[in-house]
Each structure stands twice: as C-alpha cells, then as structure tokens.
Amino acid sequence: MSNWFRRLPGSRREAPGLEWRLLRRLPALALVGSLLPAIYALGVRVFDGGLPEAEVLKAVQSADILAIATVILHWTVVFTLAIGCAIVVVMKGHAYVADAYPLVEKDDPTD
C-alpha cells in the first residue's frame, strides 16, 4: 500500500487550456454576479419613483425576491462550472495504473 499511485508508463499531461482560465476568473465572476442583483435591490429601495407606500413595499419585496433568486442561480452556475473545470483538470493529468487482483469466481474453460 506504499505505492498507491503508480503512473502509467508513457502517460503525459495535456497542456492547460480554457479550464484554467475559467478557474482563475471564477472568484471575480462570483463576486460581480453577486453584487449586481444586490445593487439592483438597493436601487429599488433608494429610488421610489413617487409611488404610494404600498406600491413601494411591493416593488421592494419583488426586487428582493428577484435578487435572491438571481444570486442563488448564479452561485449554482459558478459551482457547476468549477466542478466541470476540476473534472477536466483531472482528466488532462497523468494516467495511473490500477492494481490487478485475481478473480475468485473466474470461469475456467478447462473445468
């Protein structure tokens, strides 16, 4: 068990591509995508447009719901992209050899 990860002879890593560029940009993308709906919700609170108070409250609630839903959707997309990029990074890495083990219930044609 001392040598769990044995590289397959002749395996090579592929060159980094779009996945690394996306992984580097994901934190900034997550931050910007989270701030834009928050700015929208704050803007609705600040600029009431001369509406009656009941209409303003309705608009604020609608803006809050929309902002929360948009942020949750955005985080889900960013998380899914991160998982996809991580899978591509792993798949572009070196190949490893699995340890062989004898099959106990092997069909023997000589029996």
Side-chain angles (χ1 to χ4, degrees):
M1 289 197 17
S2 64
N3 194 4
W4 281 19
F5 300 110
R6 291 184 300 149
R7 285 189 185 163
L8 185 66
S11 72
R12 62 184 175 91
R13 288 182 55 98
E14 292 295 321
L18 178 64
E19 71 277 0
W20 280 107
R21 286 184 293 204
L22 280 175
L23 277 173
R24 283 189 206 107
R25 292 181 182 160
L26 280 180
L29 186 67
L31 181 66
V32 169
S34 299
L35 288 179
L36 288 178
I39 291 171
Y40 167 71
L42 288 174
V44 170
R45 291 175 190 278
V46 172
F47 304 110
D48 60 1
L51 296 173
E53 188 173 338
E55 293 293 324
V56 172
L57 289 176
K58 182 179 174 184
V60 167
Q61 281 184 335
S62 296
D64 289 345
I65 291 170
L66 180 65
I68 290 169
T70 304
V71 167
I72 290 173
L73 174 67
H74 181 71
W75 287 350
T76 305
V77 170
V78 168
F79 185 67
T80 304
L81 271 173
I83 290 173
C85 290
I87 290 172
V88 171
V89 167
V90 169
M91 295 302 292
K92 282 187 167 185
H94 290 286
Y96 291 94
V97 178
D99 291 330
Y101 58 93
L103 296 175
V104 176
E105 299 176 8
K106 180 177 143 184
D107 292 335
D108 191 9
T110 60
D111 287 341

